[in-house]
Amino acid sequence: MRQDVEKLLHKDKVFLWGARKKRLEALCALLDGNETAEIILLGQLDVYHGTISAPERMEAAICVTDRGIALYGSVWKYSASFRQTWRQLKKLDTENGLAAGARIGLADQDTGYLFRENYRGKLSEQHKKELERMKQIYFYQKPTRDGDSL
């Protein structure tokens, strides 16, 4: 597992074992070596396929980095993953309700993803603030090829 991810998990007091550890290792495999993990969220993922209204629900982890967003979810033998750079990301909906973890909505062609963080009190509130800060920096001010923002 990546050292920056382990550091974030240790800071958030997340202990790894079994399926959770395998999910986080698979998530780390989606990340490039030159990006830095900023936030790791653990929770539930609903995957919506095309016009089918009932989602597939699974346990998941999401990593927000300085280069983009990656998520990996799994249940039994089925898994789903999503990886987009900030430049490629077309949709990023966030919702910050009271007494709830961060909610992140993403889309990729005919597939929609709704991630809900497991609520952990003050830690979840801190994640929501950090996510909004990163959204303002990276999503709304996408860098151009020469490094300037649009």
Side-chain angles (χ1 to χ4, degrees), residues 130-145:
E130 184 68 15
L131 181 61
E132 285 303 315
R133 184 187 70 79
M134 291 184 71
K135 186 176 174 182
Q136 292 296 324
I137 293 170
Y138 296 117
F139 185 66
Y140 290 128
Q141 298 179 15
K142 295 181 182 183
T144 58
R145 291 186 196 273

Side-chain angles (χ1 to χ4, degrees), residues 69-89:
I69 294 180
L71 74 81
Y72 182 85
S74 63
V75 61
W76 296 99
K77 293 188 178 191
Y78 177 74
S79 65
S81 62
F82 176 89
R83 173 74 177 106
Q84 292 286 331
T85 63
W86 290 110
R87 179 183 295 283
Q88 297 169 325
L89 199 58

Side-chain angles (χ1 to χ4, degrees), residues 19-150:
R20 178 185 284 177
K21 183 175 182 177
K22 288 179 184 176
R23 265 192 298 280
L24 284 162
E25 287 172 348
L27 177 68
C28 288
L30 295 173
L31 303 176
D32 291 335
N34 60 351
E35 61 188 321
T36 305
E38 304 275 342
I39 306 172
I40 301 287
L41 304 172
L42 304 173
Q44 298 279 320
L45 176 67
D46 290 342
V47 181
Y48 295 88
H49 298 283
T51 59
I52 300 171
S53 61
E56 293 180 85
R57 182 162 288 166
M58 58 190 72
E59 293 291 318
I62 191 167
C63 182
V64 182
T65 73
D66 59 339
R67 301 281 174 116
I69 294 180
L71 74 81
Y72 182 85
S74 63
V75 61
W76 296 99
K77 293 188 178 191
Y78 177 74
S79 65
S81 62
F82 176 89
R83 173 74 177 106
Q84 292 286 331
T85 63
W86 290 110
R87 179 183 295 283
Q88 297 169 325
L89 199 58
K90 303 285 187 243
K91 177 184 177 187
L92 176 60
D93 294 333
T94 56
E95 182 181 319
N96 296 325
L98 296 174
R103 291 176 183 246
I104 302 171
L106 301 162
D108 183 19
Q109 294 178 352
D110 288 340
T111 306
Y113 303 92
L114 176 61
F115 176 84
R116 290 179 311 283
E117 178 187 23
N118 295 334
Y119 185 65
R120 296 182 62 200
K122 289 181 182 179
L123 183 60
S124 290
E125 297 306 318
Q126 179 183 345
H127 286 163
K128 289 179 200 178
K129 289 176 185 171
E130 184 68 15
L131 181 61
E132 285 303 315
R133 184 187 70 79
M134 291 184 71
K135 186 176 174 182
Q136 292 296 324
I137 293 170
Y138 296 117
F139 185 66
Y140 290 128
Q141 298 179 15
K142 295 181 182 183
T144 58
R145 291 186 196 273
D146 60 359
D148 296 333
S149 60
L150 294 174

